[in-house]
Amino acid sequence: MVELQKAYEARAKKVNKVEETKAMQTPKEAFEKLEYYAKNGYDSIAEIDKDYFLKCFGIYDKDSTTAKKFMLRVRISGGHLNALQARVLGEVAKEFGQDYMDITTRAQVELRYLDIKDMPTIFERMQSVGITSYQTGVDNFRNIVNDPLDSYGFDNILPSQELLEKLQSKFLYNYEWISALPRKFNTAVTGSISNRCNAFGHDCSFVLAQKNGVYGYNMYLGGKVGKIAKSADIFLLPHEVEYAYDSIIDIFKRFGFRDNRNKNRLSFLIEAVGMEEIARAIRQNAGINFATAGETMTKLDFYDSDHGKVQLRDGSFALHIVVPSGIFSGSDLIEVSELSQKYGNSQVRFDVEQSIYVMGVRDVGMILKERLFQRYKSVDSVYKNHLIACAGSQHCPFGVIENKSDAVKMAEYLEKKVPMLDGRVRMYWSGCVKGCGLHGVADIGFEGCKVKIGGEMEGAVNISLGGKLTSEGVEGYTVIKSAPLRYAHLYVETLMSEYKRVKNPFESFEQFNERVLKLYTPAFIGFMMKLGAYLREKNIDIEIGFSEKANTGRNEEFELFEIGRKLYYKLSNQEPYSAYERFTNALKNEKLQNIRSLVPNIDENLALMCERILDTKEQNRAVVFSEVAEFITLF
């Protein structure tokens, strides 16, 4: 592991401030003061404990958003809960946390508005049913995710929850590992064909695979926000997984970078030495010559929430409960617990889309008559079935937009403006660049940012398209940067109107993106989204959308000329030039007729834009969309 040592030494000349803080005491010392803090109140808590050490146990100081209150992030291993655990969590939220609860994108929950005086009692209540919040924050192993239908689903080949718990046992409650890593470490394990746990979005993933007719797991490494994990070219039999995991976490602990916190996730170590060197080190460190990768079998998307239920192996159903943006309550979870006992097998599952499954339901019709389903649906609208939103500025100091309410507002706007019955779109919202809302792998992703309008800063989003959970996962591509929230819904309305108009029956947005949108550059798509919004806002009744056959070859200059030509014709019912040679006028001496003479009272911005795109002199024409975007701005 010489190369790893060299890479580490090259970055070991200094350590970041968090590493300096970690050297001041141990997490155990901080946790042992919890009773003292509970008795003596918020003001007795040491700053380094509020800022770092209590986070090792999932206790987050939220004084900046809710005075002297705390958030508690609760570990739900694989998203799996039994009815008793669900009830106790609900009771804790109801009794101590204003009955509020967030379901997260790691299939766990966050309780809010908690007082430090209640923390020992909360921990005792949770521990009595086998729930903990240990190591759910800062430089620790975060909640390991799994398929919520593990061992029950028809598409589950290798039940993996027992394996997950074995991996978890290596670090959970183990003070040798608490706060010992250079940065957080996310893990996934799935033995299913369908990807219900964002399997390729983690630092380390063990994903269903087959080699030589034998099922096992392929190992993927280096995933994080903005980056899909890559194959380590390692195939593992189920009993080998723990040895490979021991090896990679030891490597990360020993050689992971501890200088720049923005560049010290596992992916940066992999970049420094290469995946081949990492794979070689894993084998050497484990003392096992693991086989090379087999064929990854986790390739399919999941459609449970589009149907509201999915049949399980024993003939019962997993009933889906859509929780838009993950906003839930303790009372709701108590009710879910009761329904799981009354109608199901007393098992509840959370998923990474912030929703819930009640497992083992035999009488779907009867459970849907229960009061809970007056507030939540098993099948919601196209825009809410797969809606994710992280905490946002209301609850997170990193959030730059409110996010959860923004996501719900947009979904409800689209429900009214572009209603659809058979579509499928995954809209994921992150309140900031950290990406806790998984926006990078969404069909339509939203990343919170700020934009200056009229000298004042206001909330905005970067909009991306084309993220994938299928195959081995794909990060989306940006189409609009810094779209003000007050206009973003109008841009997305254009896109969804085109999806509805052009899509084939039951075609998902992912399939629509592959079949139609991939024919165009991201700049063209973003421009069309803005153009459609501008035309509607100005009450200009013309349609210029996406064609299912494009001959512009994803060349922005050609696309721009084509859109200018189509716009001129739609407005005037006349071609700007009499003949074309590819994407310019064939007769070089022919002059562009002033569109104002053809269209009385034409919108001046559209007239100027047509002139700028179609100027008789080619050297004067706009060749990229950014040159004409100002003509259709709404602000």
Side-chain angles (χ1 to χ4, degrees):
M1 294 187 279
V2 175
E3 294 302 316
L4 282 166
Q5 185 64 37
K6 287 181 181 178
Y8 174 78
E9 290 175 356
R11 293 272 300 269
K13 295 179 177 62
K14 61 178 181 178
V15 295
N16 59 59
K17 291 182 179 179
V18 172
E19 290 297 328
E20 293 174 356
T21 298
K22 288 156 72 171
M24 296 174 67
Q25 67 175 33
T26 67
K28 186 176 182 181
E29 290 175 277
F31 192 73
E32 287 174 343
K33 291 184 281 187
L34 192 60
E35 290 279 0
Y36 170 83
Y37 292 149
K39 291 178 181 177
N40 292 277
Y42 179 88
D43 294 333
S44 70
I45 306 172
E47 288 300 317
I48 60 170
D49 289 344
K50 286 190 292 188
D51 292 343
Y52 183 83
F53 287 102
L54 288 180
K55 293 177 184 177
C56 292
F57 307 95
I59 304 170
Y60 280 72
D61 177 27
K62 291 298 178 182
D63 186 54
S64 61
T65 53
T66 50
K68 298 186 177 183
K69 299 290 185 179
F70 289 84
M71 178 268 281
L72 188 68
R73 182 178 293 147
V74 183
R75 181 182 291 273
I76 310 295
S77 304
H80 292 208
L81 280 178
N82 61 44
L84 178 59
Q85 291 171 325
R87 169 174 283 281
V88 168
L89 267 183
E91 290 172 346
V92 167
K94 188 175 181 180
E95 186 174 343
F96 302 107
Q98 298 184 20
D99 205 24
Y100 185 88
M101 176 181 292
D102 281 324
I103 304 172
T104 79
T105 56
R106 295 205 68 77
Q108 55 193 356
V109 298
E110 293 177 348
L111 311 180
R112 302 189 184 278
Y113 312 112
L114 304 176
D115 287 316
I116 193 67
K117 67 180 177 64
D118 297 317
M119 283 298 176
T121 302
I122 292 170
F123 271 75
E124 183 180 346
R125 295 265 287 273
M126 293 195 308
Q127 288 170 356
S128 71
V129 292
I131 301 173
T132 186
S133 63
Y134 267 58
Q135 295 148 279
T136 55
V138 289
D139 299 347
N140 287 288
F141 297 95
R142 304 300 183 87
N143 194 48
I144 303 179
V145 299
N146 185 14
D147 185 348
L149 305 188
D150 183 77
S151 80
Y152 289 98
F154 275 102
D155 53 358
N156 180 240
I157 305 298
L158 290 180
S160 301
Q161 186 68 8
E162 185 176 330
L163 173 60
L164 181 157
E165 291 170 356
K166 186 176 290 186
L167 299 182
Q168 178 178 272
S169 69
K170 298 176 182 300
F171 60 79
L172 190 59
Y173 303 114
N174 184 346
Y175 278 97
E176 291 183 9
W177 282 107
I178 298 178
S179 189
L181 300 175
R183 202 69 161 82
K184 68 179 178 180
F185 196 90
N186 290 336
T187 309
V189 54
T190 180
S192 296
I193 293 172
S194 298
N195 183 1
R196 293 188 183 86
C197 62
N198 182 28
F200 305 100
H202 311 269
D203 295 276
C204 177
S205 302
F206 301 101
V207 181
L208 179 69
Q210 187 185 83
K211 185 166 186 175
N212 297 327
V214 176
Y215 284 108
Y217 302 87
N218 278 342
M219 188 176 191
Y220 286 78
L221 298 172
K224 64 183 184 71
V225 171
K227 188 163 188 163
I228 296 293
K230 301 299 182 184
S231 172
D233 195 22
I234 291 175
F235 174 79
L236 301 162
L237 296 173
H239 73 273
E240 295 177 316
V241 171
E242 61 177 309
Y243 301 112
Y245 194 63
D246 285 345
S247 184
I248 187 59
I249 63 178
D250 177 64
I251 288 169
F252 184 52
K253 180 181 179 182
R254 289 163 57 194
F255 300 108
F257 305 134
R258 296 177 184 264
D259 52 350
N260 184 345
R261 281 186 70 78
N262 293 323
K263 295 183 178 180
N264 62 356
R265 291 284 289 275
L266 178 64
S267 64
F268 294 101
L269 182 61
I270 295 170
E271 285 179 8
V273 301
M275 187 66 85
E276 287 187 13
E277 179 61 29
I278 292 289
R280 188 160 39 245
I282 290 170
R283 291 182 171 96
Q284 180 183 340
N285 201 35
I288 302 173
N289 187 24
F290 299 120
T292 55
E295 181 184 357
T296 295
M297 306 298 290
T298 305
K299 296 180 179 180
L300 301 181
D301 210 337
F302 63 100
Y303 292 84
D304 315 328
S305 53
D306 302 294
H307 303 288
K309 65 182 186 298
V310 59
Q311 188 177 10
L312 304 177
R313 289 181 182 274
D314 64 358
S316 67
F317 289 88
L319 182 70
H320 195 257
I321 303 173
V322 182
V323 185
S325 294
I327 302 170
F328 212 51
S329 74
S331 296
D332 293 330
L333 190 56
I334 292 170
E335 198 165 344
V336 168
S337 170
E338 293 170 349
L339 294 179
S340 77
Q341 293 174 293
K342 182 177 180 180
Y343 295 99
N345 62 5
S346 297
Q347 296 295 314
V348 176
R349 301 287 184 262
F350 294 144
D351 69 10
V352 297
E353 287 193 329
Q354 301 176 308
S355 292
I356 301 173
Y357 292 90
V358 177
M359 306 297 289
V361 175
R362 297 283 177 180
D363 193 335
V364 173
M366 286 301 295
I367 191 173
L368 290 177
K369 294 178 182 179
E370 294 284 349
R371 183 179 58 183
L372 181 76
F373 293 95
Q374 296 174 12
R375 301 189 299 279
Y376 304 95
K377 298 179 180 179
S378 61
V379 181
D380 212 315
S381 73
V382 167
Y383 307 105
K384 288 180 180 172
N385 277 335
H386 299 274
L387 183 66
I388 285 179
C390 69
S393 59
Q394 183 180 1
H395 296 300
C396 177
F398 299 110
V400 294
I401 61 172
E402 194 168 314
N403 206 48
K404 284 185 179 290
S405 62
D406 298 320
V408 172
K409 285 177 186 176
M410 181 177 286
E412 291 176 346
Y413 175 85
L414 294 171
E415 286 171 350
K416 294 177 182 177
K417 293 293 184 177
V418 195
M420 259 186 284
L421 296 178
D422 67 347
R424 183 178 193 272
V425 58
R426 296 179 300 109
M427 299 172 64
Y428 295 175
W429 288 68
S430 296
C432 73
V433 69
K434 288 182 176 292
C436 296
L438 309 181
H439 66 275
V441 292
D443 289 329
I444 308 177
F446 303 89
E447 176 191 287
C449 60
K450 292 289 186 181
V451 67
K452 183 176 284 188
I453 300 178
E456 299 291 330
M457 299 299 292
E458 63 177 71
V461 284
N462 298 319
I463 303 175
S464 61
L465 305 178
K468 282 188 178 183
L469 295 176
T470 54
S471 186
E472 294 186 348
V474 174
E475 283 284 332
Y477 55 93
T478 301
V479 291
I480 297 179
K481 291 185 176 180
S482 303
L485 280 169
R486 53 172 148 156
Y487 301 119
H489 61 289
L490 302 176
Y491 302 152
V492 179
E493 180 185 352
T494 301
L495 191 63
M496 299 315 298
S497 295
E498 284 300 290
Y499 169 47
K500 182 177 181 179
R501 181 182 68 85
V502 176
K503 78 179 186 67
N504 293 324
F506 304 103
E507 183 175 49
S508 69
F509 189 91
E510 180 178 312
Q511 294 166 331
F512 167 72
N513 176 70
E514 290 296 309
R515 184 175 63 86
V516 178
L517 298 184
K518 284 292 184 70
L519 301 174
Y520 303 94
T521 62
F524 177 89
I525 297 169
F527 183 83
M528 291 296 292
M529 291 167 68
K530 291 180 178 179
L531 178 59
Y534 184 86
L535 294 174
R536 289 193 305 276
E537 286 296 289
K538 299 294 182 178
N539 294 314
I540 300 171
D541 188 19
I542 60 172
E543 290 186 5
I544 298 181
F546 295 98
S547 172
E548 297 173 80
K549 294 182 180 180
N551 58 359
T552 50
R554 287 175 56 86
N555 181 304
E556 197 170 333
E557 180 178 354
F558 297 165
E559 289 175 334
L560 188 56
F561 184 85
E562 273 292 277
I563 197 66
R565 185 187 68 78
K566 290 180 179 179
L567 182 60
Y568 190 102
Y569 181 82
K570 291 280 187 176
L571 290 166
S572 68
N573 201 32
Q574 180 175 311
E575 285 284 349
Y577 295 105
S578 58
Y580 302 97
E581 183 177 320
R582 285 181 60 75
F583 299 97
T584 187
N585 47 309
L587 305 176
K588 300 305 179 183
N589 294 327
E590 186 177 11
K591 292 186 177 181
L592 179 71
Q593 186 174 354
N594 189 329
I595 195 170
R596 297 173 187 81
S597 64
L598 301 173
V599 186
N601 302 316
I602 187 174
D603 180 89
E604 182 61 18
N605 282 328
L606 295 184
L608 289 169
M609 189 168 69
C610 286
E611 290 175 348
R612 186 76 176 87
I613 297 172
L614 301 169
D615 194 293
T616 300
K617 296 181 179 180
E618 285 190 57
Q619 63 269 29
N620 294 338
R621 292 176 188 168
V623 294
V624 292
F625 286 102
S626 59
E627 294 182 74
V628 296
E630 63 179 306
F631 294 118
I632 55 169
T633 185
L634 296 176
F635 55 95

